[in-house]
Amino acid sequence: MKKIASIFIVLSILSPMFAYAAGQTTTGGQTTGGAGQTTGGNGQTTGGQPDTGIMNAIPNPLNGVNSISDLIYQVVQVVVDFSYVIIAFFLLLSGFKFITAQGSDSKLEDAKKTFFYTIIGAALVIGAQVIVSVLQSVFKGLSS
């Protein structure tokens, strides 16, 4: 199992080099492919942009994320979006508990607690989203 894990790690480290090499073809001093296409050994290019190395082969997988504050904001957005689903579930659960209580004081108290804690959790999630939005705007203002 350790051999498979080590092979996987080595291949994942080397995979960007394979992706870059796949776009390159070299024949007798002429390089074709990649970001810029060279048609001779004298350095003349005929299309695209000149190759600047492996960085052209690896696109940014996080669209729209260009800084740490953008990354934090996107992570919080994913967590908040997932939290809204959980909040909706617990609101439905508390409503179900209210309906099935049928006048029982202990069941009614449990339903009230579920509803109360769900509302507190929703307030915390919305508050966290507001705080992160404010901090992101402050960091963008500082970097400008």
Side-chain angles (χ1 to χ4, degrees), residues 24-143:
Q24 297 290 323
T25 307
T26 304
T27 53
Q30 297 179 350
T31 304
T32 60
Q37 298 177 348
T38 304
T39 60
N42 59 2
Q44 296 175 340
T45 59
T46 62
Q49 298 174 355
D51 286 333
T52 57
I54 197 165
M55 295 307 291
N56 282 344
I58 303 174
N60 184 3
L62 303 172
N63 293 332
V65 177
N66 298 321
S67 65
I68 297 291
S69 64
D70 290 340
L71 178 65
I72 292 171
Y73 182 74
Q74 292 294 329
V75 168
V76 169
Q77 280 302 113
V78 168
V79 170
V80 166
D81 291 344
F82 183 69
S83 299
Y84 287 148
V85 173
I86 294 172
I87 290 167
F89 170 77
F90 276 103
L91 283 174
L92 290 172
L93 179 68
S94 66
F96 181 75
K97 284 184 176 185
F98 272 114
I99 291 171
T100 58
Q102 297 179 350
S104 174
D105 288 335
S106 64
K107 289 183 179 180
L108 195 59
E109 191 64 33
D110 185 42
K112 286 179 183 178
K113 282 183 183 179
T114 303
F115 182 74
F116 180 70
Y117 291 139
T118 302
I119 296 301
I120 288 176
L124 288 174
V125 166
I126 293 170
Q129 186 178 16
V130 168
I131 289 171
V132 169
S133 297
V134 168
L135 288 177
Q136 183 190 26
S137 65
V138 167
F139 287 137
K140 281 189 177 183
L142 290 175
S143 67

